[in-house]
Amino acid sequence: MPVPDAPRRQGGRRSPSLTLLAVCLASVLFPLSITGTSVALPSIATDLNSGLAALQWAVNGYNLTFAGFILAAGSLADLVGRKRVFLIGTALFGAGALVAAVSSDVMLLDVARAVSGAGAAAALPSGSALLAQVFEGRARARAFSLFGTTVGLGLALGPSIAGVLVSNLSWRSVFLVPAVVAFAVLLLAPFVPESRGPAGGRVDKAGTVTFTGALVLLVFGLVEGPQLGWAHVAVLGPLVGFVVLLAAFAVVERRQAQPMFDLTLLRRPRFLGLCVSVMVIVFGFSPLVVYLPSYFSAVDGLSPQQAGLTIMMLTAPTLIFPVVAGALTRWIPAGTQIVVSVLLVAVGCAWLTVIEPGGGNLPVLGPMLLIGVGVGISFGLLDGAAADSVEPERTGMASGMFNTMRLAGEATAIAVVGSLMVTFTRSGLDGKLGSYDTPYADEPDRVADLLNQGDLATAADTVRGGAGARDAFVDTAAHAYTGALHTVLWVLAALCVVAVPLIAFLMRGRSEAAARGAGVEASSPDAAVSSAAGRVEV
């Protein structure tokens, strides 16, 4: 079978197996670097004596650069060489991880994490493109199946791996181990062939600058809002700047002959419905992966290893149910399953409000599994449905836009939920600490920050008056923090519920792939049999 874009392979001893190994080893690190870091945050805060806002950038900085540069990196790979961009991206990711591992200052850690995110943005799309060029036919399908599985492994196992590393070594190992693996991938470079895309492409610099700038300003305003006050010029300014740059991005993309983000695709109801679906689902999932470990550490006193294993109840289904969802498309259309997945996340978030201090794992097992099942179903269907919602010649653009919106949604969701958690926790502590003999009695804001960093012990250990007074202080703070989490969970559940009828309305009717299949059937009965065997009805 010919390769679609007729690439020019250059240099190196082509080894499909070692190319697949290199791409999969690198790709498993990128989601692991998000979910794994969340477990390490309480230990980082204690060791580096970090404030909450600076600590949040260890996650947000990575997500921002990952989301902001992934489309531009894909275009750059087509121009200068996919192998070259893949190796440069992997090296950047590894270098950032190494600097993060040895950082003695949280600001240096945050910068290093942003560098790692940019590296991941370069390596992921170029690695995927390399697989498309090295493998053909059924081998290509198997390669991408393994590629998707490794990405899922990074997401699902990240918290437990990080928990083991932090508990038995230190938080630094959460960054050091991925750095070592990334540099090991570079040793496979001689066996990875080079390829480029069709001539005539270019990188959309104006679109990249305006989109990334808008995303950075939005997240900065959301993170700093609870710290500085929402009326502070350093918060209002970035939020206004976000609106301006987002408008500029829309103008820039409309004027581009070859935009990296084709806004006309959002006029297609089905594609828009899928974009709404992925945004809502990541809002109900990604912040929980990041902030629940801090809750378990602060309120229940779990070790990083215990917190990581507990989060597996949320992430493990995302490894199993993509396959289940694919199999179910024989009987249940993908569109119906996607609507159901949003409902499952909604019910799971509402049900998770049973979480209470000292409640143990059993009460939260059901809701966390339910959320994970909903997310797992969506992981198995959304990307394929997005590609099927447009003409074949626009699937690359649709997939790139879809994944950019997914990553941008994750970055925004983590920032929004973090801001709400801090705001609601502070509100819950107002007027409730004054009776305790502690330096923190008049500092509910500081106690709220410590809770959201996963560290209640720092404040509790200063309480004078014996074990009874300390326990009462801990109980007051823990219930305020839990109340904040309950409120956030209800907000997330309501967001999903409100989105369900909109998604169902937008996704009514047939996909572009189904319409093409119907056209084939009308013109050729024999061709119709062949087409029906290979398509997924949405």
Side-chain angles (χ1 to χ4, degrees):
M1 180 182 293
V3 176
D5 64 357
R8 300 187 295 275
R9 295 190 179 96
Q10 304 161 349
R13 293 165 286 171
R14 179 184 178 185
S15 173
S17 297
L18 291 179
T19 300
L20 178 62
L21 176 63
V23 172
C24 288
L25 276 178
S27 299
V28 75
L29 300 176
F30 306 145
L32 186 149
S33 195
I34 299 173
T35 59
T37 301
S38 64
V39 176
L41 289 180
S43 298
I44 295 172
T46 301
D47 192 27
L48 299 186
N49 193 27
S50 167
L52 179 61
L55 185 68
Q56 287 177 310
W57 283 105
V59 174
N60 290 327
Y62 180 88
N63 286 343
L64 274 173
T65 51
F66 198 171
F69 294 119
I70 192 167
L71 270 179
S75 299
L76 184 65
D78 288 341
L79 286 175
V80 306
R82 291 153 180 164
K83 171 183 175 178
R84 180 179 301 176
V85 173
F86 172 74
L87 295 177
I88 291 173
T90 303
L92 272 178
F93 175 89
L98 183 60
V99 172
V102 300
S103 295
S104 58
D105 178 79
V106 70
M107 297 306 294
L108 178 60
L109 173 67
D110 292 344
V111 171
R113 291 284 293 157
V115 171
S116 285
L124 189 64
S126 53
S128 176
L130 281 172
L131 294 184
Q133 303 311 311
V134 172
F135 294 94
E136 301 174 1
R138 293 183 178 179
R140 179 184 292 176
R142 289 194 296 269
F144 273 98
S145 176
L146 184 57
F147 172 76
T149 299
T150 58
V151 173
L153 280 171
L155 177 69
L157 301 182
S160 57
I161 292 173
V164 170
L165 290 174
V166 174
S167 294
N168 294 281
L169 297 172
S170 77
W171 65 265
R172 298 182 185 278
S173 61
V174 173
F175 304 112
L176 183 59
V177 170
V180 172
V181 175
F183 291 131
V185 169
L186 300 180
L187 298 178
L188 298 172
F191 305 98
V192 179
E194 180 62 284
S195 71
R196 290 185 173 88
R202 64 183 183 83
V203 177
D204 183 358
K205 296 178 183 178
T208 301
V209 169
T210 51
F211 178 78
T212 306
L215 196 58
V216 169
L217 291 177
L218 172 63
V219 174
F220 181 86
L222 292 172
V223 170
E224 296 296 334
Q227 311 298 322
L228 302 176
W230 293 103
H232 196 285
V233 65
V235 175
L236 287 178
L239 293 178
V240 172
F242 156 72
V243 175
V244 172
L245 282 182
L246 190 64
F249 172 70
V251 172
V252 165
E253 293 305 285
R254 287 180 180 276
R255 294 180 177 178
Q256 294 282 2
Q258 295 178 320
M260 71 172 188
F261 205 97
D262 189 352
L263 296 174
T264 61
L265 289 181
L266 297 179
R267 298 175 185 171
R268 296 170 178 253
R270 180 170 292 271
F271 184 75
L272 179 59
L274 292 166
C275 290
V276 173
S277 300
V278 75
M279 294 285 283
V280 169
I281 286 170
V282 299
F283 256 85
F285 175 73
S286 299
L288 299 183
V289 176
V290 172
Y291 295 118
L292 280 180
S294 294
Y295 176 87
F296 291 130
S297 296
V299 173
D300 292 333
L302 298 189
S303 69
Q305 182 170 338
Q306 292 170 326
L309 290 173
T310 302
I311 293 298
M312 282 284 290
M313 295 187 292
L314 183 66
T315 59
T318 65
L319 196 59
I320 301 169
F321 277 86
V323 178
V324 175
L328 287 177
T329 54
R330 297 179 181 179
W331 303 282
I332 305 174
T336 301
Q337 290 192 60
I338 289 168
V339 172
V340 170
S341 72
V342 178
L343 275 173
L344 290 177
V345 173
V347 174
C349 286
W351 187 5
L352 191 53
T353 56
V354 300
I355 193 170
E356 292 291 346
N361 289 343
L362 188 58
V364 300
L365 174 61
M368 291 178 73
L369 286 176
L370 193 64
I371 296 170
V373 169
V375 174
I377 290 172
S378 73
F379 280 3
L381 299 173
L382 282 171
D383 290 274
D388 280 344
S389 66
V390 300
E391 302 88 346
E393 63 271 16
R394 305 184 78 183
T395 56
M397 170 69 71
S399 296
M401 285 178 60
F402 187 75
N403 281 292
T404 297
M405 295 188 74
R406 187 206 306 271
L407 290 167
E410 288 181 357
T412 305
I414 291 169
V416 168
V417 170
S419 175
L420 291 176
M421 285 295 296
V422 175
T423 301
F424 293 150
T425 304
R426 288 176 178 175
S427 176
L429 289 172
D430 280 346
K432 295 184 178 179
L433 301 181
S435 61
Y436 297 100
D437 187 6
T438 169
Y440 289 92
D442 297 323
E443 297 186 36
D445 289 358
R446 179 59 179 148
V447 175
D449 287 354
L450 289 170
L451 282 163
N452 282 276
Q453 291 171 210
D455 179 20
L456 178 56
T458 295
D461 288 343
T462 66
V463 177
R464 294 178 285 269
R470 184 187 187 280
D471 290 346
F473 178 89
V474 168
D475 184 69
T476 299
H479 277 87
Y481 191 26
T482 303
L485 178 59
H486 287 176
T487 303
V488 166
L489 287 168
W490 283 118
V491 170
L492 296 178
L495 175 66
C496 293
V497 168
V498 169
V500 165
L502 174 62
I503 294 168
F505 174 77
L506 290 172
M507 295 186 63
R508 70 195 189 286
R510 294 184 301 177
S511 68
E512 187 69 29
R516 292 195 303 273
V520 170
E521 184 175 357
S523 61
S524 170
D526 294 334
V529 174
S530 174
S531 173
R535 73 174 186 262
V536 175
E537 189 76 25
V538 180

